[in-house]
mmCIF file of all heavy atoms in Angstrom:
data_model
loop_
_atom_site.group_PDB
_atom_site.id
_atom_site.type_symbol
_atom_site.label_atom_id
_atom_site.label_comp_id
_atom_site.label_asym_id
_atom_site.label_seq_id
_atom_site.Cartn_x
_atom_site.Cartn_y
_atom_site.Cartn_z
ATOM 1 N N LEU U 1 80.121 260.047 163.565
ATOM 2 C CA LEU U 1 81.132 260.376 162.558
ATOM 3 C C LEU U 1 81.392 259.197 161.632
ATOM 4 O O LEU U 1 81.593 259.377 160.418
ATOM 5 C CB LEU U 1 82.421 260.817 163.242
ATOM 6 C CG LEU U 1 82.376 262.203 163.887
ATOM 7 C CD1 LEU U 1 83.634 262.454 164.708
ATOM 8 C CD2 LEU U 1 82.203 263.279 162.832
ATOM 9 N N ALA U 2 81.374 257.986 162.168
ATOM 10 C CA ALA U 2 81.536 256.805 161.322
ATOM 11 C C ALA U 2 80.392 256.694 160.322
ATOM 12 O O ALA U 2 80.600 256.354 159.149
ATOM 13 C CB ALA U 2 81.625 255.547 162.179
ATOM 14 N N THR U 3 79.184 256.991 160.783
ATOM 15 C CA THR U 3 78.020 256.970 159.893
ATOM 16 C C THR U 3 78.151 258.033 158.816
ATOM 17 O O THR U 3 77.890 257.784 157.628
ATOM 18 C CB THR U 3 76.731 257.187 160.701
ATOM 19 O OG1 THR U 3 76.601 256.150 161.674
ATOM 20 C CG2 THR U 3 75.504 257.186 159.795
ATOM 21 N N ILE U 4 78.559 259.237 159.207
ATOM 22 C CA ILE U 4 78.716 260.330 158.246
ATOM 23 C C ILE U 4 79.755 259.971 157.191
ATOM 24 O O ILE U 4 79.549 260.194 155.989
ATOM 25 C CB ILE U 4 79.087 261.630 158.992
ATOM 26 C CG1 ILE U 4 77.883 262.140 159.796
ATOM 27 C CG2 ILE U 4 79.572 262.700 158.020
ATOM 28 C CD1 ILE U 4 78.225 263.241 160.769
ATOM 29 N N ARG U 5 80.864 259.400 157.626
ATOM 30 C CA ARG U 5 81.911 259.025 156.662
ATOM 31 C C ARG U 5 81.435 257.948 155.695
ATOM 32 O O ARG U 5 81.834 257.919 154.529
ATOM 33 C CB ARG U 5 83.146 258.539 157.409
ATOM 34 C CG ARG U 5 83.957 259.641 158.069
ATOM 35 C CD ARG U 5 85.299 259.118 158.563
ATOM 36 N NE ARG U 5 85.140 258.210 159.687
ATOM 37 C CZ ARG U 5 85.236 258.560 160.967
ATOM 38 N NH1 ARG U 5 85.476 259.824 161.280
ATOM 39 N NH2 ARG U 5 85.094 257.671 161.931
ATOM 40 N N ALA U 6 80.559 257.054 156.177
ATOM 41 C CA ALA U 6 80.138 255.906 155.366
ATOM 42 C C ALA U 6 79.011 256.235 154.401
ATOM 43 O O ALA U 6 78.797 255.496 153.432
ATOM 44 C CB ALA U 6 79.702 254.760 156.286
ATOM 45 N N GLU U 7 78.278 257.318 154.646
ATOM 46 C CA GLU U 7 77.079 257.621 153.866
ATOM 47 C C GLU U 7 77.307 258.855 152.997
ATOM 48 O O GLU U 7 77.424 259.973 153.511
ATOM 49 C CB GLU U 7 75.880 257.855 154.792
ATOM 50 C CG GLU U 7 75.484 256.646 155.610
ATOM 51 C CD GLU U 7 74.837 255.555 154.761
ATOM 52 O OE1 GLU U 7 74.436 255.851 153.615
ATOM 53 O OE2 GLU U 7 74.720 254.429 155.255
ATOM 54 N N PRO U 8 77.338 258.707 151.672
ATOM 55 C CA PRO U 8 77.576 259.867 150.803
ATOM 56 C C PRO U 8 76.586 261.004 151.011
ATOM 57 O O PRO U 8 76.971 262.176 150.907
ATOM 58 C CB PRO U 8 77.448 259.270 149.393
ATOM 59 C CG PRO U 8 77.786 257.823 149.563
ATOM 60 C CD PRO U 8 77.266 257.440 150.920
ATOM 61 N N ALA U 9 75.320 260.693 151.309
ATOM 62 C CA ALA U 9 74.317 261.748 151.497
ATOM 63 C C ALA U 9 74.638 262.629 152.698
ATOM 64 O O ALA U 9 74.236 263.797 152.738
ATOM 65 C CB ALA U 9 72.929 261.137 151.658
ATOM 66 N N LEU U 10 75.357 262.079 153.682
ATOM 67 C CA LEU U 10 75.805 262.864 154.833
ATOM 68 C C LEU U 10 77.199 263.437 154.592
ATOM 69 O O LEU U 10 77.451 264.618 154.831
ATOM 70 C CB LEU U 10 75.809 262.000 156.094
ATOM 71 C CG LEU U 10 74.480 261.357 156.497
ATOM 72 C CD1 LEU U 10 74.660 260.530 157.769
ATOM 73 C CD2 LEU U 10 73.396 262.405 156.694
ATOM 74 N N ARG U 11 78.093 262.599 154.104
ATOM 75 C CA ARG U 11 79.489 263.004 153.907
ATOM 76 C C ARG U 11 79.604 264.162 152.918
ATOM 77 O O ARG U 11 80.445 265.055 153.084
ATOM 78 C CB ARG U 11 80.283 261.798 153.393
ATOM 79 C CG ARG U 11 81.770 262.045 153.225
ATOM 80 C CD ARG U 11 82.462 260.794 152.705
ATOM 81 N NE ARG U 11 82.036 260.425 151.360
ATOM 82 C CZ ARG U 11 81.497 259.254 151.027
ATOM 83 N NH1 ARG U 11 81.295 258.322 151.939
ATOM 84 N NH2 ARG U 11 81.161 258.992 149.766
ATOM 85 N N ASP U 12 78.763 264.172 151.881
ATOM 86 C CA ASP U 12 78.856 265.176 150.828
ATOM 87 C C ASP U 12 77.850 266.310 150.988
ATOM 88 O O ASP U 12 77.694 267.135 150.077
ATOM 89 C CB ASP U 12 78.642 264.513 149.462
ATOM 90 C CG ASP U 12 79.689 263.452 149.170
ATOM 91 O OD1 ASP U 12 80.819 263.573 149.701
ATOM 92 O OD2 ASP U 12 79.388 262.507 148.421
ATOM 93 N N ALA U 13 77.178 266.379 152.134
ATOM 94 C CA ALA U 13 76.162 267.424 152.337
ATOM 95 C C ALA U 13 76.803 268.810 152.296
ATOM 96 O O ALA U 13 77.889 269.029 152.834
ATOM 97 C CB ALA U 13 75.446 267.214 153.665
ATOM 98 N N ASP U 14 76.119 269.761 151.660
ATOM 99 C CA ASP U 14 76.525 271.168 151.704
ATOM 100 C C ASP U 14 76.041 271.829 152.979
ATOM 101 O O ASP U 14 76.657 272.772 153.473
ATOM 102 C CB ASP U 14 75.955 271.931 150.501
ATOM 103 C CG ASP U 14 76.439 271.387 149.179
ATOM 104 O OD1 ASP U 14 77.666 271.279 149.001
ATOM 105 O OD2 ASP U 14 75.586 271.058 148.333
ATOM 106 N N VAL U 15 74.902 271.353 153.483
ATOM 107 C CA VAL U 15 74.299 271.863 154.718
ATOM 108 C C VAL U 15 73.934 270.668 155.585
ATOM 109 O O VAL U 15 73.255 269.745 155.127
ATOM 110 C CB VAL U 15 73.033 272.696 154.426
ATOM 111 C CG1 VAL U 15 72.324 273.080 155.719
ATOM 112 C CG2 VAL U 15 73.390 273.947 153.628
ATOM 113 N N LEU U 16 74.393 270.683 156.827
ATOM 114 C CA LEU U 16 74.081 269.614 157.774
ATOM 115 C C LEU U 16 73.450 270.241 159.005
ATOM 116 O O LEU U 16 74.048 271.114 159.646
ATOM 117 C CB LEU U 16 75.348 268.843 158.156
ATOM 118 C CG LEU U 16 75.179 267.691 159.152
ATOM 119 C CD1 LEU U 16 74.233 266.627 158.613
ATOM 120 C CD2 LEU U 16 76.543 267.080 159.485
ATOM 121 N N LEU U 17 72.233 269.805 159.321
ATOM 122 C CA LEU U 17 71.478 270.312 160.463
ATOM 123 C C LEU U 17 71.532 269.275 161.578
ATOM 124 O O LEU U 17 71.182 268.112 161.357
ATOM 125 C CB LEU U 17 70.027 270.580 160.051
ATOM 126 C CG LEU U 17 69.847 271.408 158.775
ATOM 127 C CD1 LEU U 17 68.371 271.523 158.422
ATOM 128 C CD2 LEU U 17 70.479 272.776 158.932
ATOM 129 N N LEU U 18 71.968 269.684 162.753
ATOM 130 C CA LEU U 18 72.133 268.768 163.875
ATOM 131 C C LEU U 18 71.290 269.231 165.059
ATOM 132 O O LEU U 18 71.193 270.433 165.329
ATOM 133 C CB LEU U 18 73.602 268.701 164.303
ATOM 134 C CG LEU U 18 74.600 268.242 163.231
ATOM 135 C CD1 LEU U 18 76.027 268.330 163.786
ATOM 136 C CD2 LEU U 18 74.293 266.828 162.762
ATOM 137 N N GLN U 19 70.704 268.264 165.768
ATOM 138 C CA GLN U 19 69.922 268.556 166.967
ATOM 139 C C GLN U 19 70.440 267.726 168.139
ATOM 140 O O GLN U 19 71.107 266.717 167.948
ATOM 141 C CB GLN U 19 68.433 268.260 166.744
ATOM 142 C CG GLN U 19 67.807 269.022 165.583
ATOM 143 C CD GLN U 19 67.998 268.318 164.255
ATOM 144 O OE1 GLN U 19 67.802 267.105 164.147
ATOM 145 N NE2 GLN U 19 68.381 269.074 163.234
ATOM 146 N N GLU U 20 70.084 268.194 169.343
ATOM 147 C CA GLU U 20 70.517 267.576 170.609
ATOM 148 C C GLU U 20 72.042 267.566 170.724
ATOM 149 O O GLU U 20 72.661 266.582 171.115
ATOM 150 C CB GLU U 20 69.933 266.166 170.792
ATOM 151 C CG GLU U 20 68.414 266.148 170.865
ATOM 152 C CD GLU U 20 67.853 264.872 171.475
ATOM 153 O OE1 GLU U 20 68.566 264.170 172.213
ATOM 154 O OE2 GLU U 20 66.656 264.594 171.218
ATOM 155 N N MET U 21 72.629 268.714 170.415
ATOM 156 C CA MET U 21 74.080 268.846 170.388
ATOM 157 C C MET U 21 74.578 269.693 171.548
ATOM 158 O O MET U 21 73.837 270.474 172.146
ATOM 159 C CB MET U 21 74.515 269.495 169.073
ATOM 160 C CG MET U 21 74.133 268.712 167.829
ATOM 161 S SD MET U 21 74.917 267.080 167.762
ATOM 162 C CE MET U 21 76.612 267.544 167.379
ATOM 163 N N ASP U 22 75.871 269.562 171.845
ATOM 164 C CA ASP U 22 76.582 270.549 172.640
ATOM 165 C C ASP U 22 77.665 271.150 171.745
ATOM 166 O O ASP U 22 77.872 270.709 170.609
ATOM 167 C CB ASP U 22 77.154 269.943 173.928
ATOM 168 C CG ASP U 22 78.175 268.844 173.662
ATOM 169 O OD1 ASP U 22 79.121 269.070 172.864
ATOM 170 O OD2 ASP U 22 78.052 267.759 174.242
ATOM 171 N N GLU U 23 78.356 272.172 172.253
ATOM 172 C CA GLU U 23 79.299 272.887 171.397
ATOM 173 C C GLU U 23 80.518 272.040 171.028
ATOM 174 O O GLU U 23 81.024 272.148 169.891
ATOM 175 C CB GLU U 23 79.734 274.198 172.043
ATOM 176 C CG GLU U 23 80.421 274.083 173.382
ATOM 177 C CD GLU U 23 79.461 274.050 174.566
ATOM 178 O OE1 GLU U 23 78.274 273.689 174.371
ATOM 179 O OE2 GLU U 23 79.904 274.367 175.681
ATOM 180 N N ASP U 24 81.002 271.203 171.939
ATOM 181 C CA ASP U 24 82.182 270.395 171.624
ATOM 182 C C ASP U 24 81.875 269.350 170.556
ATOM 183 O O ASP U 24 82.676 269.123 169.649
ATOM 184 C CB ASP U 24 82.710 269.720 172.890
ATOM 185 C CG ASP U 24 83.328 270.708 173.861
ATOM 186 O OD1 ASP U 24 83.773 271.787 173.400
ATOM 187 O OD2 ASP U 24 83.352 270.433 175.070
ATOM 188 N N ALA U 25 80.715 268.702 170.668
ATOM 189 C CA ALA U 25 80.326 267.713 169.663
ATOM 190 C C ALA U 25 80.111 268.380 168.308
ATOM 191 O O ALA U 25 80.501 267.836 167.263
ATOM 192 C CB ALA U 25 79.068 266.983 170.107
ATOM 193 N N THR U 26 79.509 269.561 168.308
ATOM 194 C CA THR U 26 79.306 270.289 167.056
ATOM 195 C C THR U 26 80.645 270.611 166.403
ATOM 196 O O THR U 26 80.835 270.437 165.193
ATOM 197 C CB THR U 26 78.519 271.581 167.304
ATOM 198 O OG1 THR U 26 77.265 271.270 167.917
ATOM 199 C CG2 THR U 26 78.281 272.329 166.013
ATOM 200 N N ARG U 27 81.586 271.079 167.209
ATOM 201 C CA ARG U 27 82.914 271.411 166.690
ATOM 202 C C ARG U 27 83.603 270.182 166.089
ATOM 203 O O ARG U 27 84.214 270.255 165.021
ATOM 204 C CB ARG U 27 83.770 271.995 167.817
ATOM 205 C CG ARG U 27 85.132 272.520 167.354
ATOM 206 C CD ARG U 27 85.935 273.074 168.524
ATOM 207 N NE ARG U 27 85.288 274.241 169.105
ATOM 208 C CZ ARG U 27 84.676 274.259 170.298
ATOM 209 N NH1 ARG U 27 84.621 273.154 171.035
ATOM 210 N NH2 ARG U 27 84.133 275.358 170.747
ATOM 211 N N ARG U 28 83.462 269.047 166.756
ATOM 212 C CA ARG U 28 84.093 267.814 166.255
ATOM 213 C C ARG U 28 83.534 267.410 164.892
ATOM 214 O O ARG U 28 84.282 267.077 163.973
ATOM 215 C CB ARG U 28 83.875 266.678 167.245
ATOM 216 C CG ARG U 28 84.788 266.681 168.434
ATOM 217 C CD ARG U 28 84.676 265.371 169.179
ATOM 218 N NE ARG U 28 85.091 264.246 168.361
ATOM 219 C CZ ARG U 28 84.864 262.964 168.650
ATOM 220 N NH1 ARG U 28 84.177 262.655 169.743
ATOM 221 N NH2 ARG U 28 85.285 262.007 167.851
ATOM 222 N N VAL U 29 82.201 267.440 164.773
ATOM 223 C CA VAL U 29 81.578 267.050 163.509
ATOM 224 C C VAL U 29 81.969 268.039 162.412
ATOM 225 O O VAL U 29 82.313 267.647 161.290
ATOM 226 C CB VAL U 29 80.053 266.952 163.658
ATOM 227 C CG1 VAL U 29 79.409 266.655 162.295
ATOM 228 C CG2 VAL U 29 79.670 265.869 164.665
ATOM 229 N N ALA U 30 81.921 269.331 162.732
ATOM 230 C CA ALA U 30 82.241 270.345 161.728
ATOM 231 C C ALA U 30 83.685 270.219 161.262
ATOM 232 O O ALA U 30 83.984 270.348 160.061
ATOM 233 C CB ALA U 30 81.987 271.737 162.303
ATOM 234 N N GLU U 31 84.596 269.968 162.187
ATOM 235 C CA GLU U 31 86.009 269.829 161.817
ATOM 236 C C GLU U 31 86.212 268.601 160.925
ATOM 237 O O GLU U 31 86.957 268.648 159.942
ATOM 238 C CB GLU U 31 86.862 269.733 163.078
ATOM 239 C CG GLU U 31 88.346 269.854 162.832
ATOM 240 C CD GLU U 31 88.743 271.202 162.238
ATOM 241 O OE1 GLU U 31 88.241 272.243 162.696
ATOM 242 O OE2 GLU U 31 89.556 271.188 161.286
ATOM 243 N N GLU U 32 85.535 267.509 161.285
ATOM 244 C CA GLU U 32 85.628 266.293 160.476
ATOM 245 C C GLU U 32 85.095 266.533 159.068
ATOM 246 O O GLU U 32 85.649 266.029 158.082
ATOM 247 C CB GLU U 32 84.829 265.175 161.142
ATOM 248 C CG GLU U 32 84.707 263.897 160.345
ATOM 249 C CD GLU U 32 85.949 263.026 160.420
ATOM 250 O OE1 GLU U 32 86.788 263.264 161.309
ATOM 251 O OE2 GLU U 32 86.070 262.107 159.592
ATOM 252 N N MET U 33 84.026 267.315 158.970
ATOM 253 C CA MET U 33 83.385 267.571 157.680
ATOM 254 C C MET U 33 84.044 268.718 156.910
ATOM 255 O O MET U 33 83.747 268.927 155.738
ATOM 256 C CB MET U 33 81.906 267.904 157.910
ATOM 257 C CG MET U 33 81.098 266.786 158.536
ATOM 258 S SD MET U 33 80.554 265.608 157.312
ATOM 259 C CE MET U 33 79.227 266.524 156.525
ATOM 260 N N GLY U 34 84.899 269.498 157.567
ATOM 261 C CA GLY U 34 85.486 270.671 156.927
ATOM 262 C C GLY U 34 84.447 271.742 156.657
ATOM 263 O O GLY U 34 84.470 272.388 155.605
ATOM 264 N N MET U 35 83.551 271.982 157.638
ATOM 265 C CA MET U 35 82.425 272.888 157.447
ATOM 266 C C MET U 35 82.455 274.027 158.460
ATOM 267 O O MET U 35 82.927 273.877 159.585
ATOM 268 C CB MET U 35 81.099 272.127 157.574
ATOM 269 C CG MET U 35 80.935 271.004 156.570
ATOM 270 S SD MET U 35 79.396 270.058 156.798
ATOM 271 C CE MET U 35 78.240 271.084 155.881
ATOM 272 N N ARG U 36 81.933 275.158 158.052
ATOM 273 C CA ARG U 36 81.670 276.268 158.962
ATOM 274 C C ARG U 36 80.461 275.899 159.826
ATOM 275 O O ARG U 36 79.608 275.131 159.388
ATOM 276 C CB ARG U 36 81.399 277.539 158.167
ATOM 277 C CG ARG U 36 82.542 277.899 157.210
ATOM 278 C CD ARG U 36 82.084 278.884 156.159
ATOM 279 N NE ARG U 36 83.170 279.250 155.249
ATOM 280 C CZ ARG U 36 83.473 278.619 154.130
ATOM 281 N NH1 ARG U 36 82.756 277.558 153.748
ATOM 282 N NH2 ARG U 36 84.467 279.012 153.369
ATOM 283 N N TRP U 37 80.349 276.519 161.021
ATOM 284 C CA TRP U 37 79.248 276.106 161.884
ATOM 285 C C TRP U 37 78.834 277.212 162.840
ATOM 286 O O TRP U 37 79.609 278.106 163.180
ATOM 287 C CB TRP U 37 79.627 274.861 162.675
ATOM 288 C CG TRP U 37 80.824 275.013 163.586
ATOM 289 C CD1 TRP U 37 82.143 274.913 163.232
ATOM 290 C CD2 TRP U 37 80.808 275.288 164.990
ATOM 291 N NE1 TRP U 37 82.950 275.105 164.327
ATOM 292 C CE2 TRP U 37 82.165 275.332 165.409
ATOM 293 C CE3 TRP U 37 79.802 275.489 165.925
ATOM 294 C CZ2 TRP U 37 82.522 275.586 166.742
ATOM 295 C CZ3 TRP U 37 80.149 275.729 167.249
ATOM 296 C CH2 TRP U 37 81.490 275.774 167.652
ATOM 297 N N VAL U 38 77.567 277.124 163.246
ATOM 298 C CA VAL U 38 77.033 277.966 164.314
ATOM 299 C C VAL U 38 76.108 277.097 165.160
ATOM 300 O O VAL U 38 75.373 276.255 164.623
ATOM 301 C CB VAL U 38 76.301 279.202 163.761
ATOM 302 C CG1 VAL U 38 75.089 278.828 162.904
ATOM 303 C CG2 VAL U 38 75.887 280.131 164.895
ATOM 304 N N TYR U 39 76.187 277.289 166.467
ATOM 305 C CA TYR U 39 75.443 276.454 167.409
ATOM 306 C C TYR U 39 74.824 277.337 168.486
ATOM 307 O O TYR U 39 75.503 278.195 169.061
ATOM 308 C CB TYR U 39 76.375 275.427 168.043
ATOM 309 C CG TYR U 39 75.809 274.742 169.276
ATOM 310 C CD1 TYR U 39 74.776 273.811 169.177
ATOM 311 C CD2 TYR U 39 76.308 275.032 170.542
ATOM 312 C CE1 TYR U 39 74.256 273.200 170.309
ATOM 313 C CE2 TYR U 39 75.801 274.417 171.676
ATOM 314 C CZ TYR U 39 74.772 273.506 171.556
ATOM 315 O OH TYR U 39 74.257 272.907 172.670
ATOM 316 N N TYR U 40 73.535 277.113 168.745
ATOM 317 C CA TYR U 40 72.819 277.799 169.826
ATOM 318 C C TYR U 40 72.183 276.758 170.745
ATOM 319 O O TYR U 40 71.299 276.005 170.331
ATOM 320 C CB TYR U 40 71.716 278.692 169.260
ATOM 321 C CG TYR U 40 72.186 279.992 168.674
ATOM 322 C CD1 TYR U 40 72.417 280.122 167.307
ATOM 323 C CD2 TYR U 40 72.390 281.111 169.485
ATOM 324 C CE1 TYR U 40 72.842 281.324 166.756
ATOM 325 C CE2 TYR U 40 72.802 282.326 168.947
ATOM 326 C CZ TYR U 40 73.029 282.425 167.586
ATOM 327 O OH TYR U 40 73.441 283.621 167.044
ATOM 328 N N PRO U 41 72.592 276.704 172.015
ATOM 329 C CA PRO U 41 71.905 275.810 172.950
ATOM 330 C C PRO U 41 70.585 276.420 173.420
ATOM 331 O O PRO U 41 70.475 277.641 173.588
ATOM 332 C CB PRO U 41 72.900 275.685 174.111
ATOM 333 C CG PRO U 41 73.688 276.955 174.076
ATOM 334 C CD PRO U 41 73.761 277.365 172.621
ATOM 335 N N ALA U 42 69.608 275.552 173.628
ATOM 336 C CA ALA U 42 68.348 275.982 174.234
ATOM 337 C C ALA U 42 68.468 276.048 175.747
ATOM 338 O O ALA U 42 67.841 276.886 176.394
ATOM 339 C CB ALA U 42 67.231 275.019 173.838
ATOM 340 N N LEU U 43 69.289 275.134 176.310
ATOM 341 C CA LEU U 43 69.373 275.035 177.765
ATOM 342 C C LEU U 43 70.628 274.286 178.182
ATOM 343 O O LEU U 43 71.273 273.609 177.371
ATOM 344 C CB LEU U 43 68.126 274.326 178.314
ATOM 345 C CG LEU U 43 67.781 272.934 177.748
ATOM 346 C CD1 LEU U 43 68.363 271.843 178.633
ATOM 347 C CD2 LEU U 43 66.283 272.756 177.629
ATOM 348 N N TRP U 44 70.943 274.429 179.455
ATOM 349 C CA TRP U 44 71.939 273.583 180.115
ATOM 350 C C TRP U 44 71.180 272.417 180.722
ATOM 351 O O TRP U 44 70.293 272.611 181.539
ATOM 352 C CB TRP U 44 72.673 274.365 181.196
ATOM 353 C CG TRP U 44 73.590 273.527 182.039
ATOM 354 C CD1 TRP U 44 73.299 272.926 183.222
ATOM 355 C CD2 TRP U 44 74.947 273.174 181.736
ATOM 356 N NE1 TRP U 44 74.383 272.231 183.687
ATOM 357 C CE2 TRP U 44 75.414 272.368 182.806
ATOM 358 C CE3 TRP U 44 75.819 273.473 180.689
ATOM 359 C CZ2 TRP U 44 76.709 271.847 182.843
ATOM 360 C CZ3 TRP U 44 77.102 272.961 180.724
ATOM 361 C CH2 TRP U 44 77.538 272.166 181.783
ATOM 362 N N HIS U 45 71.498 271.194 180.282
ATOM 363 C CA HIS U 45 70.698 270.031 180.667
ATOM 364 C C HIS U 45 71.265 269.386 181.927
ATOM 365 O O HIS U 45 72.451 269.071 182.001
ATOM 366 C CB HIS U 45 70.663 269.007 179.525
ATOM 367 C CG HIS U 45 69.428 268.170 179.520
ATOM 368 N ND1 HIS U 45 69.147 267.240 180.490
ATOM 369 C CD2 HIS U 45 68.367 268.155 178.656
ATOM 370 C CE1 HIS U 45 67.986 266.662 180.233
ATOM 371 N NE2 HIS U 45 67.494 267.207 179.132
ATOM 372 N N TYR U 46 70.382 269.204 182.921
ATOM 373 C CA TYR U 46 70.824 268.623 184.194
ATOM 374 C C TYR U 46 71.174 267.141 184.065
ATOM 375 O O TYR U 46 71.940 266.616 184.871
ATOM 376 C CB TYR U 46 69.734 268.796 185.254
ATOM 377 C CG TYR U 46 69.448 270.237 185.630
ATOM 378 C CD1 TYR U 46 68.204 270.618 186.129
ATOM 379 C CD2 TYR U 46 70.423 271.218 185.484
ATOM 380 C CE1 TYR U 46 67.944 271.928 186.473
ATOM 381 C CE2 TYR U 46 70.161 272.540 185.816
ATOM 382 C CZ TYR U 46 68.917 272.891 186.315
ATOM 383 O OH TYR U 46 68.657 274.194 186.657
ATOM 384 N N LYS U 47 70.630 266.467 183.056
ATOM 385 C CA LYS U 47 70.921 265.042 182.880
ATOM 386 C C LYS U 47 72.348 264.816 182.389
ATOM 387 O O LYS U 47 73.065 263.940 182.887
ATOM 388 C CB LYS U 47 69.923 264.426 181.896
ATOM 389 C CG LYS U 47 70.188 262.963 181.571
ATOM 390 C CD LYS U 47 69.152 262.419 180.582
ATOM 391 C CE LYS U 47 69.454 260.979 180.209
ATOM 392 N NZ LYS U 47 68.441 260.440 179.242
#
């Protein structure tokens, strides 16, 4: 989030694609950015 706030190319993006996410982290980033979001997990990771 600090990186996103500091970088105009991320902060001002109309579309932001994220990988290796979980739903809570996705929600946090979307709320910070003021963006709508949809998230699909591939798996529940044992690590």
Side-chain angles (χ1 to χ4, degrees):
L1 287 172
T3 300
I4 290 168
R5 286 191 291 264
E7 297 289 345
L10 302 180
R11 184 180 65 238
D12 299 332
D14 299 306
V15 173
L16 180 60
L17 310 176
L18 301 176
Q19 302 86 45
E20 298 198 22
M21 300 297 287
D22 62 51
E23 60 273 23
D24 290 335
T26 302
R27 186 181 295 108
R28 281 192 62 193
V29 175
E31 191 62 43
E32 174 79 15
M33 297 277 285
M35 300 177 84
R36 303 163 179 90
W37 60 277
V38 62
Y39 165 71
Y40 283 96
L43 55 95
W44 173 267
H45 208 292
Y46 295 154
K47 176 180 177 180

